[in-house]
Structure formats: C-alpha cells, structure tokens
Amino acid sequence: MPDSASRKFIDLIFQTSSKWANWDPPIPIKVGSFGKIDRQTGVFIADGNIYDEAFQESLKQQGLMIDLSHPSCQPIMGAVEEDMIMSSMDVKKSEISITPKVSALDLASTSFKAEFQFQEGKRGAVLVMHKPQQEYIPQGSVLSIIHEAHQLKDKYIVSSIFKCPGYYLYLSNRSAERVTLALTANTSLTTPIDVSAGGEASIDWWTDAQAAFLRKAFDKAGQYCYTPLFDLKRRQHWFKRTFRGAEVQLTEDNLWIKCPRPWDPLDEDGKEDIVYDE
C-alpha cells in the first residue's frame, strides 16, 4: 500500500486530532500556503502563499486593502511545548516493558520513552513530536479580509503548523505489534560514547519497531526543521444577511471552516470503501 499508506496514516491522525499529518516531515509546509489535497495520497500540494509578493499585489488589484508584510499580519510563533503524542483511537500507550533490548539502554538518559500496543487486524498510527512549536496566522483580521481573494477559490489554506527538531511516525502492520520508543542521548548499544574523553552523546530515537511504514529523524543541532503536523481551513461561501434591518457581522470562524477529508471512508489498507446510495 505505497500511496495508500500515506493517506491511511493522515486519515487516522485526522480522526483523533482534526489536524493534518505530513507524511514526509522534512518537506517544509509554510503558514499561509494555499492549495489542494491529493485525494490518492492525502498529501497537501501548495499552489502559492498569502505572504508572497505576487499575492499581495493581487490583493491591491482586487481592492482588498491589507498589508500582509506588516508585523501585525505576520505569522505568530507560539511557545515551545512539551513532547506531543498523537495516536489513533485503538492504540494503547503504556510504560516501557523491560526486555533484553530495552535493558541495554541507558533509560536515565532518555528524555522520552513509551510503549504502544496496536490492535490485531487494524491499522494504527502514532505521531510523536519532540518539543514542538506552533506557528500560526494572527486571528481577527487577516483571514477575514483575504476571504474574498480570487486565488483562494476552492483552495485550502495552512492556518497553522507545528515544527520540531525531532519526530517519529509509525503505521502498524495489523499484527497486534507492541512497539517501544525512546529518545536517548546514546543509541549505540555496543559502543557507548565516552563523553569524559571528549566524545559527544548523539541524541536520537531508539525503537524496536521493524516495519516498512516507520519514519523518524532528529536534527543533531536541535534546529526546528521538521513539520509533522499542520492545520487546514477552507473558505466558506456566505451571503450577506440582515437581522431587523442590520447587516450581520460575520466572524473568521463563519468564513473559514476546518478542511474535511476529500475521500470516502477508508478500509484498513487505505483504500476507499465504495458507498452506494440506496
């Protein structure tokens, strides 16, 4: 299930979080990007960005007067958060069981450790982000004004992203596997690093998972270069309404709604279940 694997993983994470997973976190997704979702893979494909000069120029031509280069309109950086775990509904998280492989780890050096039990016969998804930081479009004015922009017709817009220096994503193989995960300062079990002799402990993910649908990375310099999760909104079409002669003021939430999944319900292999109307 090469292409359908990404769509299944994205679908499972969306069910539990209402947010979109990035199947390939090293590929950047930027706040303000607009585009569409590939129905076959679930991957977001950007056509442009509201912070590009070309988009700003088009706003002026349409009479939408807002300067998106102004600091009040620029994306806001949130605080660095604790490690974030997202898992599909049938996945159970627990403390690490001590096995021969696990006992060889220096658990005292681990900043994160967990064990995940997956269900027999069902796909399960886990996404872990190390100390993520959210970046988002300021609320209140930006989306309300650009709502009428011609370029955003039938497009989805990235309203927020989560960046981090390390991520781990896993899609189970339906065999009721139990997966252990740890973020340790020394992942080598055979040749420990002698820090006192001038060596450097390399922080990285350690896992006993053996599966094709496992992706993980950790930036050694601690740079926030991965984007595993983001939020999409879709423009809602509204007609002007009046109440007792006064025009109803529409809010940003009225104008933009959460982006729904553009596919029918998926089976365990990520293929669409055909729904027939009676």
Side-chain angles (χ1 to χ4, degrees):
M1 50 179 290
D3 286 342
S4 55
S6 60
R7 184 169 66 175
K8 183 62 177 179
F9 181 84
I10 292 166
D11 188 82
L12 289 171
I13 294 299
F14 185 88
Q15 289 180 37
T16 193
S17 68
S18 296
K19 297 186 185 301
W20 292 80
N22 182 6
W23 181 244
D24 200 357
I27 296 178
I29 293 178
K30 297 181 179 180
V31 172
S33 292
F34 55 88
K36 291 190 175 182
I37 293 289
D38 186 313
R39 180 167 180 156
Q40 300 303 315
T41 65
V43 173
F44 174 72
I45 301 174
D47 295 329
N49 193 292
I50 65 171
Y51 293 106
D52 291 342
E53 289 185 12
F55 186 84
Q56 176 70 69
E57 184 60 32
S58 70
L59 290 179
K60 294 180 181 178
Q61 294 175 1
Q62 296 172 61
L64 300 174
M65 305 311 294
I66 182 172
D67 181 6
L68 294 177
S69 65
H70 191 275
S72 64
C73 298
Q74 289 289 299
I76 296 174
M77 299 295 296
V80 174
E81 302 180 28
E82 295 298 319
D83 293 342
M84 185 181 295
I85 305 172
M86 291 189 175
S87 60
S88 52
M89 292 178 284
D90 296 315
V91 179
K92 294 182 179 179
K93 175 182 173 293
S94 61
E95 296 296 323
I96 289 183
S97 301
I98 302 301
T99 64
K101 283 186 178 180
V102 173
S103 62
L105 287 172
D106 179 11
L107 293 179
S109 70
T110 60
S111 60
F112 173 91
K113 52 183 179 292
E115 192 169 88
F116 301 97
Q117 176 66 59
F118 295 88
Q119 187 172 331
E120 178 75 33
K122 297 195 69 174
R123 296 281 180 189
V126 169
L127 170 62
V128 180
M129 294 180 286
H130 178 62
K131 296 190 178 302
Q133 185 175 29
Q134 187 179 19
E135 183 180 356
Y136 55 92
I137 296 174
Q139 295 182 332
S141 61
V142 175
L143 291 178
S144 298
I145 294 177
I146 68 172
H147 173 262
E148 298 297 333
H150 302 324
Q151 296 94 321
L152 300 181
K153 181 180 179 181
D154 300 325
K155 304 290 185 181
Y156 304 138
I157 188 168
V158 178
S159 57
S160 71
I161 62 173
F162 286 86
K163 301 176 72 174
C164 62
Y167 72 91
Y168 173 98
L169 62 85
Y170 180 81
L171 180 66
S172 72
N173 57 20
R174 303 169 61 182
S175 64
E177 64 266 45
R178 184 185 294 270
V179 173
T180 302
L181 173 66
L183 185 60
T184 176
N186 182 12
T187 59
S188 174
L189 304 183
T190 57
T191 56
I193 298 173
D194 186 358
V195 179
S196 62
E200 293 185 358
S202 178
I203 299 176
D204 207 346
W205 299 105
W206 178 90
T207 183
D208 58 0
Q210 300 292 330
F213 306 121
L214 164 65
R215 297 185 175 191
K216 59 186 178 70
F218 195 94
D219 185 73
K220 307 306 179 186
Q223 297 295 312
Y224 278 65
C225 53
Y226 305 116
T227 315
L229 195 69
F230 59 101
D231 205 2
L232 283 178
K233 289 188 176 182
R234 185 183 68 180
R235 185 169 71 175
Q236 180 82 310
H237 296 287
W238 284 83
F239 296 99
K240 289 185 178 180
R241 299 180 180 180
T242 59
F243 179 73
R244 293 181 179 178
E247 184 176 314
V248 176
Q249 184 67 36
L250 298 176
T251 67
E252 192 173 288
D253 291 335
N254 297 140
L255 298 172
W256 296 87
I257 60 174
K258 288 277 188 178
C259 172
R261 291 162 289 179
W263 49 76
D264 291 326
L266 305 179
D267 64 17
E268 295 304 321
D269 289 324
K271 298 178 181 179
E272 290 187 72
D273 283 332
I274 301 176
V275 178
Y276 297 99
D277 294 330
E278 296 183 359

